[in-house]
């Protein structure tokens, strides 16, 4: 986590990104921009050239502020994380995760479908946006344009799954975290470091955490909560203190990203679920799933 980017990726050994540490990327405190429309020039290049071009675009990024000064969600940081994982693992991100995590845990419905929908029919996927750039309603294709031009597998987007599969992964993480599961591809000490948000920090390593006010998690998740929000309307929140996990997968961008009603819906559904859990309604909730 303390290793600098320039040490892990030779292409970044010099330049302004070289000293950025892995921990800063994972907590979105690297000082990087949130997003760049790389897909526009990349889409005009042959697919086999896009990887090298994206590397060059990333190398040219200049941090907006020194690492650790502020938290700003950054797709660019997780594009870099994908490259770190792939180099250390010696395999592309999707293959590494399938072989090392999702496969061993029996999570066949958590996967990167890439550009062929993972061999599944289009009807197996919820439609997302009517994309003006691609000229079609997206179904079984990654919504993020930068991930799309890179073949549908990226650090910031491209993962698909069912609510049951996402919940299954989170239940496993929680069991390992609590010491109830010892047969895991994930080391407990490492996992605890990722799931425990440092005091006063707005995010944990690789995870979001509820904001103090007007959080999408609502009002009842404890301080031992981590989660993630997806642009298309997906989310999860996991409360380690209460043993509660809520997975919400919607296609709120269908047919347009102009729909912002999920900002009101998310906290309301989370409050209702957590009230039910507080009243001993865990069994009823599980039966609904």
């Amino acid at each position: 986590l303390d290793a600098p980017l320039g040490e892990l990726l030779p292409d970044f050994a010099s330049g302004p990104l070289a000293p950025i540490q892995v921990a800063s990327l994972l907590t979105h405190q690297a000082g990087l921009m949130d997003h760049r429309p790389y897909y526009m020039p990349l889409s005009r290049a042959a697919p086999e050239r896009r990887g090298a071009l994206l590397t060059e675009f990333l190398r040219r990024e200049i941090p907006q502020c020194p690492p650790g000064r502020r938290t700003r969600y950054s797709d660019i940081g997780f594009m870099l994380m994908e490259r770190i994982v792939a180099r250390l693992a010696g395999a592309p991100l999707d293959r590494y995760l399938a072989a090392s995590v999702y496969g061993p845990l029996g999570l066949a419905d958590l996967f990167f479908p890439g550009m062929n929908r993972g061999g599944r029919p289009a009807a197996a996927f919820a439609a997302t946006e009517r994309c003006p750039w691609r000229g079609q309603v997206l179904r079984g294709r990654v919504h993020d344009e930068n991930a799309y031009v890179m073949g549908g597998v990226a650090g910031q987007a491209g993962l698909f799954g069912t609510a049951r599969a996402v919940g299954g992964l989170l239940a496993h993480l929680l069991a390992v975290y609590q010491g109830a599961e010892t047969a895991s591809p994930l080391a407990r000490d490492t996992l605890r470091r990722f799931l425990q948000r440092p005091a006063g920090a707005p995010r944990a390593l690789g995870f979001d955490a509820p904001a103090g006010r007007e959080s999408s998690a609502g009002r009842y998740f404890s301080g031992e909560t981590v989660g993630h929000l997806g642009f298309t309307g997906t989310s999860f929140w996991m409360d380690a203190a209460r043993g509660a996990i809520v997975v919400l997968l919607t296609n709120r961008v269908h047919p347009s990203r102009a729909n912002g009603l999920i900002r009101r819906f998310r906290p309301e559904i989370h409050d209702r679920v957590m009230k039910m859990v507080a009243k001993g309604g865990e069994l009823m909730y599980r039966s609904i799933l």
Side-chain angles (χ1 to χ4, degrees), residues 38-56:
Y38 295 133
Y39 69 94
M40 297 181 72
L42 287 173
S43 64
R44 295 191 291 269
E48 62 271 16
R49 294 191 58 241
R50 292 175 186 175
L53 281 174
L54 180 57
T55 295
E56 186 58 33

Side-chain angles (χ1 to χ4, degrees), residues 26-114:
L26 288 170
T27 56
H28 297 277
Q29 292 184 316
L32 298 171
M33 285 289 291
D34 52 354
H35 175 78
R36 298 278 193 194
Y38 295 133
Y39 69 94
M40 297 181 72
L42 287 173
S43 64
R44 295 191 291 269
E48 62 271 16
R49 294 191 58 241
R50 292 175 186 175
L53 281 174
L54 180 57
T55 295
E56 186 58 33
F57 293 152
L58 292 171
R59 287 182 67 251
R60 294 177 189 172
E61 284 292 334
I62 298 175
Q64 306 297 297
C65 65
R69 179 169 294 181
R70 69 181 183 186
T71 301
R72 179 177 187 173
Y73 187 91
S74 173
D75 283 348
I76 294 170
F78 272 66
M79 290 179 184
L80 294 167
M81 280 303 312
E82 177 208 357
R83 287 159 180 263
I84 292 172
V85 171
R87 183 169 186 271
L88 297 181
L93 178 66
D94 57 333
R95 296 180 192 171
Y96 170 68
L97 288 172
S100 302
V101 182
Y102 304 149
L105 296 181
L107 300 172
D109 287 332
L110 199 57
F111 64 105
F112 286 84

Side-chain angles (χ1 to χ4, degrees), residues 113-122 125-129 131 134 136-145 147-148 151-153 157-160 232 253:
M115 302 306 287
N116 69 349
R117 299 191 177 96
R120 292 164 169 80
F125 300 85
T128 55
E129 189 175 31
C131 176
R134 282 164 277 196
Q136 60 181 293
V137 174
L138 302 179
R139 193 159 191 166
R141 308 274 196 234
V142 62
H143 184 268
D144 182 278
E145 294 93 343
Y148 181 86
V153 179
L159 182 66
F160 282 66
T232 57
V253 297

Side-chain angles (χ1 to χ4, degrees), residues 174-260:
L174 185 59
V176 173
Y177 177 84
Q178 295 174 336
E181 174 63 72
T182 57
S184 174
L186 305 168
R188 187 187 183 204
D189 289 346
T190 301
L191 186 59
R192 290 183 70 86
R193 187 169 182 182
F194 272 69
L195 296 183
Q196 291 175 335
R197 177 171 43 139
R203 287 179 175 269
L205 290 164
F207 293 94
D208 198 356
R213 295 181 58 188
E214 298 183 355
S215 170
S216 72
R219 297 171 290 172
Y220 302 115
F221 279 88
S222 79
E224 292 186 49
T225 297
V226 296
H228 180 70
L229 306 180
F231 181 79
T232 57
T234 58
S235 67
F236 72 79
W237 289 106
M238 179 171 69
D239 188 331
R242 294 187 172 96
I245 298 168
V246 182
V247 178
L248 178 64
L249 304 185
T250 80
N251 56 343
R252 73 97 189 166
V253 297
H254 180 70
S256 165
R257 69 181 67 190
N259 181 4

Side-chain angles (χ1 to χ4, degrees), residues 14-30:
S14 62
L17 303 188
I20 295 176
Q21 296 178 328
V22 170
S24 295
L25 296 174
L26 288 170
T27 56
H28 297 277
Q29 292 184 316

